[in-house]
PDB file of all heavy atoms in Angstrom:
ATOM      1  N   ILE A 107      15.985 -29.440 -43.339  1.00 96.00           N
ATOM      2  CA  ILE A 107      16.300 -30.484 -42.275  1.00 96.00           C
ATOM      3  C   ILE A 107      15.056 -30.893 -41.629  1.00 96.00           C
ATOM      4  O   ILE A 107      14.268 -30.121 -41.077  1.00 96.00           O
ATOM      5  CB  ILE A 107      17.251 -29.755 -41.274  1.00 96.00           C
ATOM      6  CG1 ILE A 107      18.524 -29.305 -41.938  1.00 96.00           C
ATOM      7  CG2 ILE A 107      17.496 -30.693 -40.139  1.00 96.00           C
ATOM      8  CD1 ILE A 107      19.445 -30.275 -42.397  1.00 96.00           C
ATOM      9  N   VAL A 108      14.739 -32.182 -41.723  1.00 97.00           N
ATOM     10  CA  VAL A 108      13.651 -32.827 -41.075  1.00 97.00           C
ATOM     11  C   VAL A 108      13.969 -33.799 -40.025  1.00 97.00           C
ATOM     12  O   VAL A 108      13.142 -34.309 -39.346  1.00 97.00           O
ATOM     13  CB  VAL A 108      12.693 -33.488 -42.154  1.00 97.00           C
ATOM     14  CG1 VAL A 108      12.113 -32.512 -43.077  1.00 97.00           C
ATOM     15  CG2 VAL A 108      13.443 -34.614 -42.891  1.00 97.00           C
ATOM     16  N   GLU A 109      15.294 -34.061 -39.804  1.00 98.00           N
ATOM     17  CA  GLU A 109      15.713 -35.004 -38.822  1.00 98.00           C
ATOM     18  C   GLU A 109      17.097 -34.575 -38.274  1.00 98.00           C
ATOM     19  O   GLU A 109      17.980 -34.154 -38.955  1.00 98.00           O
ATOM     20  CB  GLU A 109      15.931 -36.431 -39.417  1.00 98.00           C
ATOM     21  CG  GLU A 109      16.522 -37.414 -38.578  1.00 98.00           C
ATOM     22  CD  GLU A 109      16.697 -38.766 -39.192  1.00 98.00           C
ATOM     23  OE1 GLU A 109      16.195 -38.977 -40.372  1.00 98.00           O
ATOM     24  OE2 GLU A 109      17.300 -39.661 -38.561  1.00 98.00           O
ATOM     25  N   ILE A 110      17.126 -34.577 -36.889  1.00 98.00           N
ATOM     26  CA  ILE A 110      18.389 -34.351 -36.192  1.00 98.00           C
ATOM     27  C   ILE A 110      18.867 -35.704 -35.845  1.00 98.00           C
ATOM     28  O   ILE A 110      18.279 -36.330 -34.990  1.00 98.00           O
ATOM     29  CB  ILE A 110      18.271 -33.375 -34.931  1.00 98.00           C
ATOM     30  CG1 ILE A 110      17.555 -32.189 -35.350  1.00 98.00           C
ATOM     31  CG2 ILE A 110      19.608 -33.173 -34.341  1.00 98.00           C
ATOM     32  CD1 ILE A 110      18.333 -31.250 -36.358  1.00 98.00           C
ATOM     33  N   ARG A 111      19.982 -36.128 -36.370  1.00 98.00           N
ATOM     34  CA  ARG A 111      20.491 -37.509 -36.158  1.00 98.00           C
ATOM     35  C   ARG A 111      21.083 -37.731 -34.729  1.00 98.00           C
ATOM     36  O   ARG A 111      21.385 -36.732 -34.109  1.00 98.00           O
ATOM     37  CB  ARG A 111      21.498 -37.911 -37.232  1.00 98.00           C
ATOM     38  CG  ARG A 111      20.835 -37.989 -38.514  1.00 98.00           C
ATOM     39  CD  ARG A 111      21.731 -38.649 -39.542  1.00 98.00           C
ATOM     40  NE  ARG A 111      21.107 -38.732 -40.814  1.00 98.00           N
ATOM     41  CZ  ARG A 111      21.666 -39.180 -41.850  1.00 98.00           C
ATOM     42  NH1 ARG A 111      22.913 -39.382 -41.884  1.00 98.00           N
ATOM     43  NH2 ARG A 111      20.954 -39.315 -42.947  1.00 98.00           N
ATOM     44  N   SER A 112      21.218 -38.890 -34.369  1.00 98.00           N
ATOM     45  CA  SER A 112      21.780 -39.244 -33.039  1.00 98.00           C
ATOM     46  C   SER A 112      23.119 -38.535 -32.814  1.00 98.00           C
ATOM     47  O   SER A 112      24.022 -38.553 -33.625  1.00 98.00           O
ATOM     48  CB  SER A 112      21.958 -40.812 -32.988  1.00 98.00           C
ATOM     49  OG  SER A 112      20.742 -41.451 -33.020  1.00 98.00           O
ATOM     50  N   TYR A 113      23.163 -37.952 -31.595  1.00 98.00           N
ATOM     51  CA  TYR A 113      24.440 -37.337 -31.139  1.00 98.00           C
ATOM     52  C   TYR A 113      24.970 -36.254 -32.070  1.00 98.00           C
ATOM     53  O   TYR A 113      26.169 -35.885 -32.105  1.00 98.00           O
ATOM     54  CB  TYR A 113      25.433 -38.389 -30.821  1.00 98.00           C
ATOM     55  CG  TYR A 113      24.982 -39.328 -29.767  1.00 98.00           C
ATOM     56  CD1 TYR A 113      24.446 -40.597 -30.175  1.00 98.00           C
ATOM     57  CD2 TYR A 113      24.859 -39.062 -28.440  1.00 98.00           C
ATOM     58  CE1 TYR A 113      24.006 -41.468 -29.262  1.00 98.00           C
ATOM     59  CE2 TYR A 113      24.372 -39.830 -27.496  1.00 98.00           C
ATOM     60  CZ  TYR A 113      23.899 -41.087 -27.937  1.00 98.00           C
ATOM     61  OH  TYR A 113      23.336 -42.019 -26.927  1.00 98.00           O
ATOM     62  N   ALA A 114      24.180 -35.637 -32.901  1.00 98.00           N
ATOM     63  CA  ALA A 114      24.556 -34.598 -33.863  1.00 98.00           C
ATOM     64  C   ALA A 114      25.208 -33.398 -33.176  1.00 98.00           C
ATOM     65  O   ALA A 114      26.251 -32.834 -33.686  1.00 98.00           O
ATOM     66  CB  ALA A 114      23.379 -34.139 -34.737  1.00 98.00           C
ATOM     67  N   PHE A 115      24.675 -32.973 -32.088  1.00 97.00           N
ATOM     68  CA  PHE A 115      25.282 -31.786 -31.360  1.00 97.00           C
ATOM     69  C   PHE A 115      25.844 -32.124 -29.995  1.00 97.00           C
ATOM     70  O   PHE A 115      26.027 -31.320 -29.175  1.00 97.00           O
ATOM     71  CB  PHE A 115      24.172 -30.749 -31.170  1.00 97.00           C
ATOM     72  CG  PHE A 115      23.722 -30.158 -32.489  1.00 97.00           C
ATOM     73  CD1 PHE A 115      22.558 -30.702 -33.153  1.00 97.00           C
ATOM     74  CD2 PHE A 115      24.253 -29.058 -33.010  1.00 97.00           C
ATOM     75  CE1 PHE A 115      22.174 -30.131 -34.320  1.00 97.00           C
ATOM     76  CE2 PHE A 115      23.888 -28.497 -34.209  1.00 97.00           C
ATOM     77  CZ  PHE A 115      22.790 -29.096 -34.841  1.00 97.00           C
ATOM     78  N   LYS A 116      26.218 -33.462 -29.819  1.00 98.00           N
ATOM     79  CA  LYS A 116      26.709 -33.961 -28.562  1.00 98.00           C
ATOM     80  C   LYS A 116      27.788 -32.993 -28.015  1.00 98.00           C
ATOM     81  O   LYS A 116      28.793 -32.739 -28.594  1.00 98.00           O
ATOM     82  CB  LYS A 116      27.180 -35.396 -28.663  1.00 98.00           C
ATOM     83  CG  LYS A 116      27.610 -35.916 -27.381  1.00 98.00           C
ATOM     84  CD  LYS A 116      28.174 -37.391 -27.590  1.00 98.00           C
ATOM     85  CE  LYS A 116      28.755 -37.880 -26.251  1.00 98.00           C
ATOM     86  NZ  LYS A 116      29.384 -39.188 -26.481  1.00 98.00           N
ATOM     87  N   ASN A 117      27.611 -32.672 -26.774  1.00 98.00           N
ATOM     88  CA  ASN A 117      28.609 -31.841 -25.888  1.00 98.00           C
ATOM     89  C   ASN A 117      29.001 -30.550 -26.636  1.00 98.00           C
ATOM     90  O   ASN A 117      30.062 -30.118 -26.399  1.00 98.00           O
ATOM     91  CB  ASN A 117      29.863 -32.719 -25.642  1.00 98.00           C
ATOM     92  CG  ASN A 117      29.503 -33.913 -24.724  1.00 98.00           C
ATOM     93  OD1 ASN A 117      28.717 -33.740 -23.837  1.00 98.00           O
ATOM     94  ND2 ASN A 117      30.177 -35.035 -24.988  1.00 98.00           N
ATOM     95  N   CYS A 118      28.086 -29.996 -27.295  1.00 96.00           N
ATOM     96  CA  CYS A 118      28.382 -28.642 -27.940  1.00 96.00           C
ATOM     97  C   CYS A 118      28.202 -27.591 -26.828  1.00 96.00           C
ATOM     98  O   CYS A 118      27.129 -27.278 -26.411  1.00 96.00           O
ATOM     99  CB  CYS A 118      27.443 -28.375 -29.118  1.00 96.00           C
ATOM    100  SG  CYS A 118      27.778 -26.823 -29.874  1.00 96.00           S
ATOM    101  N   PRO A 119      29.354 -26.992 -26.345  1.00 94.00           N
ATOM    102  CA  PRO A 119      29.381 -26.208 -25.226  1.00 94.00           C
ATOM    103  C   PRO A 119      28.747 -24.722 -25.426  1.00 94.00           C
ATOM    104  O   PRO A 119      28.454 -24.124 -24.490  1.00 94.00           O
ATOM    105  CB  PRO A 119      30.825 -26.097 -24.826  1.00 94.00           C
ATOM    106  CG  PRO A 119      31.567 -26.212 -26.094  1.00 94.00           C
ATOM    107  CD  PRO A 119      30.699 -27.166 -26.881  1.00 94.00           C
ATOM    108  N   LYS A 120      28.673 -24.357 -26.696  1.00 95.00           N
ATOM    109  CA  LYS A 120      28.144 -22.990 -26.970  1.00 95.00           C
ATOM    110  C   LYS A 120      26.753 -22.841 -27.437  1.00 95.00           C
ATOM    111  O   LYS A 120      26.188 -21.785 -27.499  1.00 95.00           O
ATOM    112  CB  LYS A 120      29.083 -22.287 -27.914  1.00 95.00           C
ATOM    113  CG  LYS A 120      30.462 -22.086 -27.424  1.00 95.00           C
ATOM    114  CD  LYS A 120      31.403 -21.378 -28.256  1.00 95.00           C
ATOM    115  CE  LYS A 120      32.712 -21.132 -27.736  1.00 95.00           C
ATOM    116  NZ  LYS A 120      33.661 -20.394 -28.540  1.00 95.00           N
ATOM    117  N   LEU A 121      26.101 -23.973 -27.734  1.00 97.00           N
ATOM    118  CA  LEU A 121      24.731 -24.011 -28.243  1.00 97.00           C
ATOM    119  C   LEU A 121      23.814 -23.625 -27.141  1.00 97.00           C
ATOM    120  O   LEU A 121      23.661 -24.338 -26.105  1.00 97.00           O
ATOM    121  CB  LEU A 121      24.441 -25.275 -28.784  1.00 97.00           C
ATOM    122  CG  LEU A 121      23.050 -25.485 -29.460  1.00 97.00           C
ATOM    123  CD1 LEU A 121      22.894 -24.493 -30.636  1.00 97.00           C
ATOM    124  CD2 LEU A 121      22.715 -26.952 -29.866  1.00 97.00           C
ATOM    125  N   ALA A 122      23.165 -22.416 -27.166  1.00 97.00           N
ATOM    126  CA  ALA A 122      22.231 -22.023 -26.147  1.00 97.00           C
ATOM    127  C   ALA A 122      20.732 -21.923 -26.505  1.00 97.00           C
ATOM    128  O   ALA A 122      19.906 -22.182 -25.793  1.00 97.00           O
ATOM    129  CB  ALA A 122      22.619 -20.559 -25.766  1.00 97.00           C
ATOM    130  N   THR A 123      20.522 -21.699 -27.885  1.00 97.00           N
ATOM    131  CA  THR A 123      19.212 -21.593 -28.403  1.00 97.00           C
ATOM    132  C   THR A 123      19.120 -22.313 -29.784  1.00 97.00           C
ATOM    133  O   THR A 123      20.017 -22.153 -30.541  1.00 97.00           O
ATOM    134  CB  THR A 123      18.759 -20.183 -28.516  1.00 97.00           C
ATOM    135  OG1 THR A 123      18.818 -19.523 -27.277  1.00 97.00           O
ATOM    136  CG2 THR A 123      17.374 -20.021 -29.111  1.00 97.00           C
ATOM    137  N   ILE A 124      17.995 -23.085 -30.073  1.00 96.00           N
ATOM    138  CA  ILE A 124      17.845 -23.587 -31.335  1.00 96.00           C
ATOM    139  C   ILE A 124      16.363 -23.777 -31.738  1.00 96.00           C
ATOM    140  O   ILE A 124      15.519 -24.018 -30.793  1.00 96.00           O
ATOM    141  CB  ILE A 124      18.524 -24.997 -31.430  1.00 96.00           C
ATOM    142  CG1 ILE A 124      18.560 -25.431 -32.880  1.00 96.00           C
ATOM    143  CG2 ILE A 124      17.888 -26.046 -30.544  1.00 96.00           C
ATOM    144  CD1 ILE A 124      19.574 -26.558 -33.208  1.00 96.00           C
ATOM    145  N   ASN A 125      16.026 -23.428 -32.928  1.00 96.00           N
ATOM    146  CA  ASN A 125      14.673 -23.582 -33.425  1.00 96.00           C
ATOM    147  C   ASN A 125      14.574 -24.784 -34.329  1.00 96.00           C
ATOM    148  O   ASN A 125      15.254 -24.884 -35.278  1.00 96.00           O
ATOM    149  CB  ASN A 125      14.348 -22.289 -34.220  1.00 96.00           C
ATOM    150  CG  ASN A 125      12.993 -22.323 -34.798  1.00 96.00           C
ATOM    151  OD1 ASN A 125      12.368 -23.435 -34.892  1.00 96.00           O
ATOM    152  ND2 ASN A 125      12.462 -21.190 -35.332  1.00 96.00           N
ATOM    153  N   LEU A 126      13.758 -25.693 -33.830  1.00 96.00           N
ATOM    154  CA  LEU A 126      13.613 -26.985 -34.513  1.00 96.00           C
ATOM    155  C   LEU A 126      12.192 -27.137 -35.178  1.00 96.00           C
ATOM    156  O   LEU A 126      11.897 -28.266 -35.516  1.00 96.00           O
ATOM    157  CB  LEU A 126      13.892 -28.148 -33.566  1.00 96.00           C
ATOM    158  CG  LEU A 126      15.270 -28.179 -33.023  1.00 96.00           C
ATOM    159  CD1 LEU A 126      15.399 -29.227 -31.893  1.00 96.00           C
ATOM    160  CD2 LEU A 126      16.383 -28.416 -34.067  1.00 96.00           C
ATOM    161  N   GLU A 127      11.587 -26.000 -35.330  1.00 95.00           N
ATOM    162  CA  GLU A 127      10.256 -26.109 -36.049  1.00 95.00           C
ATOM    163  C   GLU A 127      10.393 -26.621 -37.389  1.00 95.00           C
ATOM    164  O   GLU A 127      11.239 -26.175 -38.123  1.00 95.00           O
ATOM    165  CB  GLU A 127       9.600 -24.767 -35.997  1.00 95.00           C
ATOM    166  CG  GLU A 127       9.277 -24.299 -34.615  1.00 95.00           C
ATOM    167  CD  GLU A 127       8.791 -22.941 -34.463  1.00 95.00           C
ATOM    168  OE1 GLU A 127       8.425 -22.292 -35.479  1.00 95.00           O
ATOM    169  OE2 GLU A 127       8.779 -22.387 -33.320  1.00 95.00           O
ATOM    170  N   GLY A 128       9.643 -27.541 -37.896  1.00 95.00           N
ATOM    171  CA  GLY A 128       9.773 -28.178 -39.192  1.00 95.00           C
ATOM    172  C   GLY A 128      10.516 -29.476 -39.108  1.00 95.00           C
ATOM    173  O   GLY A 128      10.532 -30.281 -40.044  1.00 95.00           O
ATOM    174  N   VAL A 129      11.219 -29.784 -37.965  1.00 97.00           N
ATOM    175  CA  VAL A 129      11.964 -31.009 -37.777  1.00 97.00           C
ATOM    176  C   VAL A 129      10.946 -32.046 -37.328  1.00 97.00           C
ATOM    177  O   VAL A 129      10.189 -31.870 -36.375  1.00 97.00           O
ATOM    178  CB  VAL A 129      13.116 -30.840 -36.812  1.00 97.00           C
ATOM    179  CG1 VAL A 129      13.731 -32.136 -36.444  1.00 97.00           C
ATOM    180  CG2 VAL A 129      14.078 -29.856 -37.332  1.00 97.00           C
ATOM    181  N   ASP A 130      10.902 -33.186 -37.923  1.00 97.00           N
ATOM    182  CA  ASP A 130      10.003 -34.343 -37.658  1.00 97.00           C
ATOM    183  C   ASP A 130      10.581 -35.291 -36.636  1.00 97.00           C
ATOM    184  O   ASP A 130       9.846 -35.867 -35.877  1.00 97.00           O
ATOM    185  CB  ASP A 130       9.662 -35.143 -38.875  1.00 97.00           C
ATOM    186  CG  ASP A 130       8.920 -34.243 -39.927  1.00 97.00           C
ATOM    187  OD1 ASP A 130       8.189 -33.323 -39.559  1.00 97.00           O
ATOM    188  OD2 ASP A 130       9.070 -34.529 -41.091  1.00 97.00           O
ATOM    189  N   PHE A 131      11.902 -35.481 -36.546  1.00 98.00           N
ATOM    190  CA  PHE A 131      12.533 -36.450 -35.679  1.00 98.00           C
ATOM    191  C   PHE A 131      13.717 -35.783 -35.074  1.00 98.00           C
ATOM    192  O   PHE A 131      14.552 -35.255 -35.725  1.00 98.00           O
ATOM    193  CB  PHE A 131      12.971 -37.692 -36.451  1.00 98.00           C
ATOM    194  CG  PHE A 131      11.920 -38.417 -37.147  1.00 98.00           C
ATOM    195  CD1 PHE A 131      11.592 -38.208 -38.398  1.00 98.00           C
ATOM    196  CD2 PHE A 131      11.162 -39.300 -36.457  1.00 98.00           C
ATOM    197  CE1 PHE A 131      10.566 -38.828 -39.102  1.00 98.00           C
ATOM    198  CE2 PHE A 131      10.110 -40.036 -37.113  1.00 98.00           C
ATOM    199  CZ  PHE A 131       9.825 -39.790 -38.421  1.00 98.00           C
ATOM    200  N   ILE A 132      13.848 -35.970 -33.678  1.00 98.00           N
ATOM    201  CA  ILE A 132      15.055 -35.655 -32.933  1.00 98.00           C
ATOM    202  C   ILE A 132      15.555 -36.983 -32.370  1.00 98.00           C
ATOM    203  O   ILE A 132      14.852 -37.579 -31.488  1.00 98.00           O
ATOM    204  CB  ILE A 132      14.749 -34.654 -31.852  1.00 98.00           C
ATOM    205  CG1 ILE A 132      14.173 -33.337 -32.471  1.00 98.00           C
ATOM    206  CG2 ILE A 132      16.026 -34.346 -31.085  1.00 98.00           C
ATOM    207  CD1 ILE A 132      13.680 -32.371 -31.494  1.00 98.00           C
ATOM    208  N   ARG A 133      16.623 -37.510 -32.893  1.00 98.00           N
ATOM    209  CA  ARG A 133      17.056 -38.811 -32.559  1.00 98.00           C
ATOM    210  C   ARG A 133      17.783 -38.907 -31.232  1.00 98.00           C
ATOM    211  O   ARG A 133      18.184 -37.893 -30.596  1.00 98.00           O
ATOM    212  CB  ARG A 133      17.936 -39.369 -33.711  1.00 98.00           C
ATOM    213  CG  ARG A 133      17.364 -39.564 -35.047  1.00 98.00           C
ATOM    214  CD  ARG A 133      16.142 -40.478 -34.941  1.00 98.00           C
ATOM    215  NE  ARG A 133      15.571 -40.614 -36.323  1.00 98.00           N
ATOM    216  CZ  ARG A 133      14.472 -41.227 -36.542  1.00 98.00           C
ATOM    217  NH1 ARG A 133      13.713 -41.695 -35.439  1.00 98.00           N
ATOM    218  NH2 ARG A 133      13.965 -41.332 -37.740  1.00 98.00           N
ATOM    219  N   GLU A 134      17.980 -40.135 -30.736  1.00 98.00           N
ATOM    220  CA  GLU A 134      18.753 -40.469 -29.499  1.00 98.00           C
ATOM    221  C   GLU A 134      19.961 -39.531 -29.265  1.00 98.00           C
ATOM    222  O   GLU A 134      20.833 -39.509 -30.125  1.00 98.00           O
ATOM    223  CB  GLU A 134      19.055 -41.880 -29.474  1.00 98.00           C
ATOM    224  CG  GLU A 134      19.850 -42.317 -28.239  1.00 98.00           C
ATOM    225  CD  GLU A 134      20.202 -43.824 -28.336  1.00 98.00           C
ATOM    226  OE1 GLU A 134      19.954 -44.353 -29.328  1.00 98.00           O
ATOM    227  OE2 GLU A 134      20.831 -44.276 -27.353  1.00 98.00           O
ATOM    228  N   GLY A 135      20.054 -38.937 -28.138  1.00 98.00           N
ATOM    229  CA  GLY A 135      21.217 -38.135 -27.722  1.00 98.00           C
ATOM    230  C   GLY A 135      21.561 -36.979 -28.591  1.00 98.00           C
ATOM    231  O   GLY A 135      22.681 -36.441 -28.469  1.00 98.00           O
ATOM    232  N   ALA A 136      20.651 -36.460 -29.414  1.00 98.00           N
ATOM    233  CA  ALA A 136      20.973 -35.471 -30.431  1.00 98.00           C
ATOM    234  C   ALA A 136      21.636 -34.233 -29.795  1.00 98.00           C
ATOM    235  O   ALA A 136      22.612 -33.638 -30.323  1.00 98.00           O
ATOM    236  CB  ALA A 136      19.666 -35.015 -31.169  1.00 98.00           C
ATOM    237  N   PHE A 137      21.222 -33.867 -28.586  1.00 98.00           N
ATOM    238  CA  PHE A 137      21.786 -32.677 -27.911  1.00 98.00           C
ATOM    239  C   PHE A 137      22.407 -33.059 -26.600  1.00 98.00           C
ATOM    240  O   PHE A 137      22.546 -32.217 -25.623  1.00 98.00           O
ATOM    241  CB  PHE A 137      20.672 -31.627 -27.695  1.00 98.00           C
ATOM    242  CG  PHE A 137      20.182 -31.127 -29.002  1.00 98.00           C
ATOM    243  CD1 PHE A 137      19.024 -31.699 -29.625  1.00 98.00           C
ATOM    244  CD2 PHE A 137      20.755 -30.154 -29.643  1.00 98.00           C
ATOM    245  CE1 PHE A 137      18.528 -31.199 -30.796  1.00 98.00           C
ATOM    246  CE2 PHE A 137      20.322 -29.627 -30.892  1.00 98.00           C
ATOM    247  CZ  PHE A 137      19.238 -30.174 -31.459  1.00 98.00           C
ATOM    248  N   TYR A 138      22.809 -34.304 -26.415  1.00 98.00           N
ATOM    249  CA  TYR A 138      23.329 -34.791 -25.135  1.00 98.00           C
ATOM    250  C   TYR A 138      24.553 -33.977 -24.662  1.00 98.00           C
ATOM    251  O   TYR A 138      25.452 -33.696 -25.491  1.00 98.00           O
ATOM    252  CB  TYR A 138      23.745 -36.196 -25.361  1.00 98.00           C
ATOM    253  CG  TYR A 138      24.318 -36.939 -24.116  1.00 98.00           C
ATOM    254  CD1 TYR A 138      23.487 -37.688 -23.288  1.00 98.00           C
ATOM    255  CD2 TYR A 138      25.670 -36.818 -23.791  1.00 98.00           C
ATOM    256  CE1 TYR A 138      23.989 -38.268 -22.183  1.00 98.00           C
ATOM    257  CE2 TYR A 138      26.206 -37.372 -22.676  1.00 98.00           C
ATOM    258  CZ  TYR A 138      25.306 -38.103 -21.876  1.00 98.00           C
ATOM    259  OH  TYR A 138      25.845 -38.639 -20.728  1.00 98.00           O
ATOM    260  N   GLY A 139      24.442 -33.514 -23.454  1.00 98.00           N
ATOM    261  CA  GLY A 139      25.500 -32.741 -22.876  1.00 98.00           C
ATOM    262  C   GLY A 139      25.708 -31.336 -23.375  1.00 98.00           C
ATOM    263  O   GLY A 139      26.763 -30.710 -23.052  1.00 98.00           O
ATOM    264  N   CYS A 140      24.785 -30.785 -24.039  1.00 98.00           N
ATOM    265  CA  CYS A 140      24.882 -29.391 -24.434  1.00 98.00           C
ATOM    266  C   CYS A 140      24.449 -28.526 -23.233  1.00 98.00           C
ATOM    267  O   CYS A 140      23.348 -28.041 -23.052  1.00 98.00           O
ATOM    268  CB  CYS A 140      23.943 -29.122 -25.610  1.00 98.00           C
ATOM    269  SG  CYS A 140      24.393 -29.957 -27.141  1.00 98.00           S
ATOM    270  N   SER A 141      25.496 -28.262 -22.366  1.00 96.00           N
ATOM    271  CA  SER A 141      25.187 -27.687 -21.039  1.00 96.00           C
ATOM    272  C   SER A 141      24.651 -26.271 -21.100  1.00 96.00           C
ATOM    273  O   SER A 141      24.035 -25.788 -20.163  1.00 96.00           O
ATOM    274  CB  SER A 141      26.408 -27.739 -20.220  1.00 96.00           C
ATOM    275  OG  SER A 141      27.546 -27.136 -20.934  1.00 96.00           O
ATOM    276  N   ALA A 142      24.901 -25.542 -22.212  1.00 97.00           N
ATOM    277  CA  ALA A 142      24.450 -24.132 -22.291  1.00 97.00           C
ATOM    278  C   ALA A 142      22.993 -23.986 -22.914  1.00 97.00           C
ATOM    279  O   ALA A 142      22.398 -22.997 -22.937  1.00 97.00           O
ATOM    280  CB  ALA A 142      25.416 -23.328 -23.143  1.00 97.00           C
ATOM    281  N   LEU A 143      22.519 -25.158 -23.386  1.00 97.00           N
ATOM    282  CA  LEU A 143      21.261 -25.159 -24.119  1.00 97.00           C
ATOM    283  C   LEU A 143      20.120 -24.757 -23.167  1.00 97.00           C
ATOM    284  O   LEU A 143      19.860 -25.507 -22.088  1.00 97.00           O
ATOM    285  CB  LEU A 143      20.962 -26.508 -24.685  1.00 97.00           C
ATOM    286  CG  LEU A 143      19.683 -26.636 -25.640  1.00 97.00           C
ATOM    287  CD1 LEU A 143      19.925 -25.583 -26.856  1.00 97.00           C
ATOM    288  CD2 LEU A 143      19.613 -28.056 -26.183  1.00 97.00           C
ATOM    289  N   GLU A 144      19.407 -23.669 -23.404  1.00 96.00           N
ATOM    290  CA  GLU A 144      18.331 -23.267 -22.474  1.00 96.00           C
ATOM    291  C   GLU A 144      16.976 -22.987 -23.249  1.00 96.00           C
ATOM    292  O   GLU A 144      15.946 -23.008 -22.688  1.00 96.00           O
ATOM    293  CB  GLU A 144      18.695 -21.926 -21.847  1.00 96.00           C
ATOM    294  CG  GLU A 144      19.877 -22.115 -20.817  1.00 96.00           C
ATOM    295  CD  GLU A 144      20.258 -20.829 -20.088  1.00 96.00           C
ATOM    296  OE1 GLU A 144      19.579 -19.851 -20.329  1.00 96.00           O
ATOM    297  OE2 GLU A 144      21.122 -20.937 -19.247  1.00 96.00           O
ATOM    298  N   ASN A 145      17.048 -22.758 -24.615  1.00 95.00           N
ATOM    299  CA  ASN A 145      15.865 -22.496 -25.309  1.00 95.00           C
ATOM    300  C   ASN A 145      15.724 -23.375 -26.570  1.00 95.00           C
ATOM    301  O   ASN A 145      16.642 -23.325 -27.371  1.00 95.00           O
ATOM    302  CB  ASN A 145      15.864 -21.073 -25.780  1.00 95.00           C
ATOM    303  CG  ASN A 145      15.799 -20.030 -24.622  1.00 95.00           C
ATOM    304  OD1 ASN A 145      14.970 -20.101 -23.751  1.00 95.00           O
ATOM    305  ND2 ASN A 145      16.818 -19.243 -24.473  1.00 95.00           N
ATOM    306  N   VAL A 146      14.667 -24.145 -26.583  1.00 96.00           N
ATOM    307  CA  VAL A 146      14.444 -24.910 -27.777  1.00 96.00           C
ATOM    308  C   VAL A 146      13.027 -24.832 -28.216  1.00 96.00           C
ATOM    309  O   VAL A 146      12.106 -24.792 -27.382  1.00 96.00           O
ATOM    310  CB  VAL A 146      14.650 -26.461 -27.476  1.00 96.00           C
ATOM    311  CG1 VAL A 146      14.351 -27.338 -28.670  1.00 96.00           C
ATOM    312  CG2 VAL A 146      16.131 -26.699 -27.008  1.00 96.00           C
ATOM    313  N   SER A 147      12.722 -24.590 -29.481  1.00 95.00           N
ATOM    314  CA  SER A 147      11.348 -24.605 -29.986  1.00 95.00           C
ATOM    315  C   SER A 147      11.230 -25.690 -31.032  1.00 95.00           C
ATOM    316  O   SER A 147      11.998 -25.949 -31.902  1.00 95.00           O
ATOM    317  CB  SER A 147      11.002 -23.210 -30.523  1.00 95.00           C
ATOM    318  OG  SER A 147      11.803 -22.836 -31.598  1.00 95.00           O
ATOM    319  N   PHE A 148      10.082 -26.445 -30.995  1.00 94.00           N
ATOM    320  CA  PHE A 148       9.816 -27.497 -31.977  1.00 94.00           C
ATOM    321  C   PHE A 148       8.392 -27.597 -32.138  1.00 94.00           C
ATOM    322  O   PHE A 148       7.552 -27.219 -31.255  1.00 94.00           O
ATOM    323  CB  PHE A 148      10.554 -28.804 -31.638  1.00 94.00           C
ATOM    324  CG  PHE A 148      10.377 -29.222 -30.195  1.00 94.00           C
ATOM    325  CD1 PHE A 148       9.223 -29.758 -29.774  1.00 94.00           C
ATOM    326  CD2 PHE A 148      11.370 -28.989 -29.270  1.00 94.00           C
ATOM    327  CE1 PHE A 148       9.123 -30.243 -28.453  1.00 94.00           C
ATOM    328  CE2 PHE A 148      11.368 -29.433 -27.960  1.00 94.00           C
ATOM    329  CZ  PHE A 148      10.149 -30.090 -27.550  1.00 94.00           C
TER     330      PHE A 148
END
């Protein structure tokens, strides 16, 4: 996976941590509204 497309995880209520190392593009609104998201690495 080298790209996270627009709104791919929109409003995902359980996503708290995600490792995006190796991803080149994080598109518009990819994690919009993921209220539990606290840890991201890229």
Side-chain angles (χ1 to χ4, degrees):
I107 301 292
V108 294
E109 175 181 355
I110 306 297
R111 293 190 176 174
S112 297
Y113 303 99
F115 293 92
K116 182 182 178 186
N117 294 323
C118 183
K120 295 184 179 184
L121 182 63
T123 299
I124 192 161
N125 180 344
L126 299 172
E127 292 173 16
V129 172
D130 296 327
F131 300 95
I132 302 172
R133 300 295 183 193
E134 175 183 2
F137 296 94
Y138 182 94
C140 294
S141 57
L143 188 60
E144 294 183 358
N145 298 303
V146 177
S147 58
F148 47 78

